[in-house]
Amino acid sequence: MFLAILIIAFICLLLLEVPIAFAVGIATLLAAISLGDTDVLQNIASDMANSVSSFTLLAIPFFILAGDLMGAGGLARRLINFASALVGRIPGGLSLVNTLTCMLFGSISGSAAAAVSSIGNTLIPEMNKKNYGKDFNVAVTTAGSITGLLIPPSNSMIVYAVVASGVSISSLFLAGIVPGLLLGFVLMVTCLIICKKKGYGQDTAGQTVAFVPAFFSALPSLLLVVIVLGGIFAGWFTATEASAIAVVWSLLLACVFYREIPLRELPAVIARSARTTGVVLFLVAASSAMSQLLTAEQVPQLVSATLLSLSDNPIVILLIINIALLLVGTFMDITPAILIFTPIFLPVAIDLGMDPIHFGILLIANLSIGLCTPPVGTCLFVGCSVGKAKIAEVSRAMLPFYIAMILVLVAITYIPSISLWLPSLFE
């Protein structure tokens, strides 16, 4: 009964357009009341407070601030020039520049929505001028943005590591590199096929810039990834300490080296990061309370037993999990989905002999696709807003990219070495 109340209340609140954090919290409260919990408010408040009292989670606000500093500090323009120097000469090159820049920016900022906004504001109008299809331009930016959730540093990986206790953040970061690069490569191939078929961008005149100045202009920003990941993998500092170093480096670039952010505008950037952090951590707190309730009522064990009773074939079970997560991703943001469904599906994956690191990459790759799908896809909505396009039309233009993303998801699911090869080298 409590599970029915939880699900029905959550869906009804979503249909009423209640913010997802409040929908999760209210549904959890109603379900707990149905169980006869006399101290329900105290217990839920305690679960929410304890869930965000984590040293590891401190990395999230720091990476958010570093991303905002980079976004306001002229990073996008320099990365676009660098990407143009690399692939701008290829027919359809602006779509490749778009995807490659999203990969670079997303890996540095750790935010898919920020990648859509920052890159889209510059490249979508430019692609429109070059007579690329308007809906295609938004679709390219939207699809490319999610690569940054797999290429570290990634806030989603940090959230997963907190929920799946015992999983190393540095190993997760390593595991995401090859899948992220693979996804970016497949998306770029998809762009080339569409551009060739529809005749987009066959005239590449004026799309390239000189490589050497573009490289040196972007180098300080690219060094952020080297410093953060190199320091973590070398054991010089933890992921949380690395996030603080990322803020210092971003601040130096934005205010001293690039001089794109005057000191008088710095408080506004910090305030914007604080608001984003508040939203994310409230999502973490509410989702953790729901996760605690589900765990206490042994829902993960019930789901595990049910799935394993359907089949003992790992291929079939993983297919069912992927389909379920794809459906979840269409109406739930990635952070609460990771917090709620990791405790449910991770035990099943472990029973199948799956490495928790491999499952984490599968989970993040799967739920990232939901950011590009209606009705709740954050990146899709941001892209349509930036590109002034209709969601229905962009969703049709997204179809080839959905196919490409699902093909990569299948590869990640059934070829563990894609995710586990790099971590195995550093063991």
Side-chain angles (χ1 to χ4, degrees):
M1 176 64 72
F2 103 93
L3 193 57
I5 292 173
L6 182 72
I7 294 171
I8 292 171
F10 180 65
I11 292 174
C12 290
L13 289 166
L14 285 182
L15 292 174
L16 292 172
E17 299 185 357
V18 174
I20 190 165
F22 289 96
V24 169
I26 294 170
T28 303
L29 176 63
L30 294 175
I33 291 173
S34 73
L35 292 170
D37 187 351
T38 55
D39 297 320
V40 58
L41 289 177
Q42 178 180 337
N43 292 337
I44 290 177
S46 176
D47 288 340
M48 293 177 70
N50 291 336
S51 67
V52 293
S53 299
S54 166
F55 178 76
T56 303
L57 282 180
L58 275 176
I60 292 179
F62 281 129
F63 277 130
I64 288 173
L65 177 55
D68 282 344
L69 287 168
M70 285 292 197
L75 171 65
R77 184 176 69 256
R78 289 169 173 83
L79 291 179
I80 288 170
N81 289 338
F82 177 57
S84 297
L86 290 175
V87 296
R89 291 182 176 83
I90 301 172
L94 274 182
S95 65
L96 304 184
V97 170
N98 194 323
T99 305
L100 181 57
T101 309
C102 283
M103 292 171 65
L104 294 171
F105 186 89
S107 66
I108 293 172
S109 69
S111 171
V116 175
S117 178
S118 298
I119 307 306
N121 273 313
T122 301
L123 274 180
I124 290 177
E126 185 64 25
M127 293 176 73
N128 290 339
K129 291 178 186 176
K130 296 288 185 178
N131 296 319
Y132 287 75
K134 179 179 178 181
D135 300 326
F136 170 76
N137 302 339
V138 176
V140 170
T141 313
T142 302
S145 67
I146 67 169
T147 57
L149 298 178
L150 287 171
I151 303 173
S154 167
N155 288 336
S156 298
M157 292 181 185
I158 295 169
V159 173
Y160 174 79
V162 170
V163 184
S165 56
V167 174
S168 164
I169 294 178
S170 59
S171 295
L172 271 175
F173 281 2
L174 278 170
I177 293 174
V178 174
L181 294 177
L182 175 63
L183 177 59
F185 174 76
V186 173
L187 291 176
M188 292 172 79
V189 171
T190 305
C191 288
L192 286 176
I193 293 171
I194 295 173
C195 289
K196 180 69 174 177
K197 181 179 179 180
K198 297 194 174 183
Y200 295 153
Q202 300 306 299
D203 180 9
T204 60
Q207 288 183 193
T208 60
V209 295
F211 177 80
V212 174
F215 172 73
F216 281 104
S217 179
L219 181 60
S221 302
L222 298 173
L223 281 176
L224 175 64
V225 177
V226 177
I227 292 170
V228 169
L229 298 185
I232 293 173
F233 299 150
W236 296 338
F237 37 73
T238 65
T240 305
E241 293 163 346
S243 66
I245 291 170
V247 170
V248 174
W249 186 258
S250 303
L251 189 63
L252 289 173
L253 290 183
C255 297
V256 179
F257 189 80
Y258 292 148
R259 298 183 180 179
E260 295 274 353
I261 303 179
L263 289 178
R264 65 179 180 276
E265 295 180 9
L266 193 57
V269 176
I270 296 173
R272 184 167 64 247
S273 299
R275 287 192 295 270
T276 304
T277 298
V279 171
V280 171
L281 292 184
F282 187 46
L283 271 171
V284 169
S287 302
S288 295
M290 179 181 284
S291 178
Q292 291 282 353
L293 179 63
L294 292 172
T295 302
E297 294 303 311
Q298 298 188 332
V299 172
Q301 292 87 335
L302 175 64
V303 172
S304 178
T306 302
L307 286 176
L308 294 175
S309 68
L310 294 175
S311 173
D312 58 359
N313 189 330
I315 295 176
V316 175
I317 299 297
L318 289 175
L319 178 62
I320 294 171
I321 291 174
N322 270 325
I323 293 172
L325 290 173
L326 284 170
L327 292 173
V328 166
T330 62
F331 65 87
M332 185 177 289
D333 196 53
I334 188 168
T335 299
I338 290 172
L339 288 161
I340 293 169
F341 289 96
T342 295
I344 293 176
F345 288 126
L346 180 57
V348 181
I350 292 174
D351 287 342
L352 294 174
M354 195 174 191
D355 192 297
I357 292 173
H358 178 204
F359 179 76
I361 300 303
L362 180 155
L363 180 75
I364 293 167
N366 196 312
L367 295 174
S368 295
I369 297 174
L371 296 175
C372 305
T373 59
V376 189
T378 304
C379 293
L380 180 63
F381 278 92
V382 173
C384 290
S385 175
V386 171
K388 297 179 175 59
K390 295 180 179 178
I391 291 175
E393 294 171 355
V394 173
S395 296
R396 283 195 291 271
M398 282 288 302
L399 288 175
F401 296 102
Y402 291 144
I403 294 170
M405 288 186 280
I406 290 174
L407 287 175
V408 173
L409 176 62
V410 170
I412 291 172
T413 301
Y414 296 113
I415 308 176
S417 58
I418 293 176
S419 302
L420 299 179
W421 174 65
L422 272 180
S424 67
L425 294 180
F426 286 81
E427 286 181 352

